[in-house]
Amino acid sequence: MARRTGRVTATDVAKEAGVSQTTVSYVLNDVPHQKISEQTRRKVLDAVAKLGYKPSAAARALRLGRSDLVLMFLPDVPVGGTITAVVELLGDELERHGLNLVTRRERHTPLESLWRELAPAAVMTAFDVPDEDVANMRAAGIHVVSAGMSPSAAPGVLTIPQRLIGTMQVERLAATGHTRTGYAAPGDPRLEEFFALRLDGARAACAELGLEPPVLLDVPLDISAAAAAAEHWHSAVPAVTGVCAYNDETAFALLAGMRRVGLSAPGDLAVIGVDNDKLAPFAMPPLTTIDNNLDVVVGRAARMIVSGVTGRPLPTTPQVTPLSLVVRESA
């Protein structure tokens, strides 16, 4: 038998299985209400496996009248564990609905250039997008979902409550007796928009509780700098006894810096992070943190995307705050 060259087509699969190309299409697309026997279905699937057939994305787009791509446009921020987890969870969830996730970062190519080139079925942005850009995408038939950081009642906007994170951190420290708090900033200007909202929430919580605003210091991912910050808080008059960290990575750096100068948590400085990083239980001591519960956030985003792409109504589910406190030894 001659060795097959070139791309395997649905016609090749039909010949191999001894069925019509229409039957192949029905089987591969799981078209309902078709009287196809299990034996025939098995023949088609066996032929697909034998020939290594991969359906054409272009042909699928023509058949459906739309692309199966979802473009996730990421801000120009460090790609840490949280963003990686969001991309992985969302990609897996969309794949179950026949959609493929593509990610791009803001700094590389303007949003308009990307969506016009890729022609996705939907665009999800992880930051606020100008109304004109949203209107242009919708005019082109693209469903748009935005993950905003401030509360919004606008359709297609998923709110991630950054201010509430800072509030919950301060409330935890105050509940455990800490009346003078610090705030450990990440020291990366690319995170300013996220950080500013979290700090606002912490300041608001202090005001509500009758406490002085948090003492703000940068804690970059550098042990010497983190040690200097820890000493500054500990030696202040009155002393800072509890610190809200921008995220768990910042908290890890602070805990390491504290150990270098002989300070411990929570005795000298209680520390609370954000993200419930998978390494948080292994910190010294195990890190108290705010869990974003990304599975809840991503599940909601996926439902909004699938609903918009398919035209099916969005399931009515209670809107719950995805944040939760995870108490460990550090605070």
Side-chain angles (χ1 to χ4, degrees), residues 54-80:
K54 302 293 183 184
S56 164
R60 176 179 170 84
L62 286 172
R63 186 180 66 255
L64 296 176
R66 61 168 172 79
S67 165
D68 64 357
L69 296 180
V70 174
L71 171 61
M72 185 175 185
F73 205 54
L74 300 171
D76 182 20
V77 298
V79 180

Side-chain angles (χ1 to χ4, degrees), residues 22 79 105 191 205:
T22 300
V79 180
R105 296 179 70 186
L191 296 170

Side-chain angles (χ1 to χ4, degrees), residues 1 18 56 64 80 98 126 129 141 150 152 154 158 165 181 196 201 212 225 244 246 259 329 331:
M1 180 177 176
S56 164
L64 296 176
V129 173
S150 300
S152 173
L158 177 68
I165 289 173
T181 62
E212 291 294 318
C244 308
Y246 166 75
R259 289 194 297 274
E329 295 173 25

Side-chain angles (χ1 to χ4, degrees), residues 189-204:
R190 293 175 296 172
L191 296 170
E192 176 61 30
E193 192 172 4
F194 294 89
F195 160 67
L197 290 171
R198 295 180 186 183
L199 179 60
D200 282 349
R203 286 171 170 164

Side-chain angles (χ1 to χ4, degrees), residues 49-242:
K50 178 179 179 180
L51 299 177
Y53 172 66
K54 302 293 183 184
S56 164
R60 176 179 170 84
L62 286 172
R63 186 180 66 255
L64 296 176
R66 61 168 172 79
S67 165
D68 64 357
L69 296 180
V70 174
L71 171 61
M72 185 175 185
F73 205 54
L74 300 171
D76 182 20
V77 298
V79 180
T82 297
I83 289 182
T84 300
V86 167
V87 171
E88 183 176 341
L89 287 168
L90 184 58
D92 288 348
E93 187 64 29
L94 292 176
E95 189 175 347
R96 284 192 274 271
H97 297 276
L99 298 171
N100 293 302
L101 184 66
V102 177
T103 60
R104 293 292 186 273
R105 296 179 70 186
E106 179 184 13
R107 66 178 178 174
H108 292 151
T109 309
L111 176 57
E112 183 172 3
S113 297
L114 280 171
W115 68 257
R116 288 194 183 281
E117 178 182 350
L118 295 176
V123 166
M124 180 170 180
T125 66
F127 57 95
D128 294 329
V129 173
D131 291 342
E132 183 179 357
D133 286 345
V134 173
N136 288 339
M137 285 187 281
R138 287 178 174 158
I142 298 172
H143 181 61
V144 182
V145 173
S146 299
M149 292 180 288
S150 300
S152 173
V157 177
L158 177 68
T159 298
I160 301 174
Q162 300 297 313
R163 285 189 178 90
L164 183 56
I165 289 173
T167 297
M168 291 175 66
Q169 288 179 299
V170 167
E171 288 176 345
R172 170 59 188 175
L173 293 176
T176 51
H178 300 283
T179 58
R180 191 74 173 107
T181 62
Y183 205 100
D188 188 327
R190 293 175 296 172
L191 296 170
E192 176 61 30
E193 192 172 4
F194 294 89
F195 160 67
L197 290 171
R198 295 180 186 183
L199 179 60
D200 282 349
R203 286 171 170 164
C206 285
E208 181 70 23
L209 294 167
L211 306 177
E212 291 294 318
V215 178
L216 176 64
L217 293 175
D218 279 349
V219 179
L221 301 182
D222 176 87
I223 293 181
S224 296
E231 285 191 311
H232 181 96
W233 279 315
H234 185 62
S235 62
V237 180
V240 169
T241 62

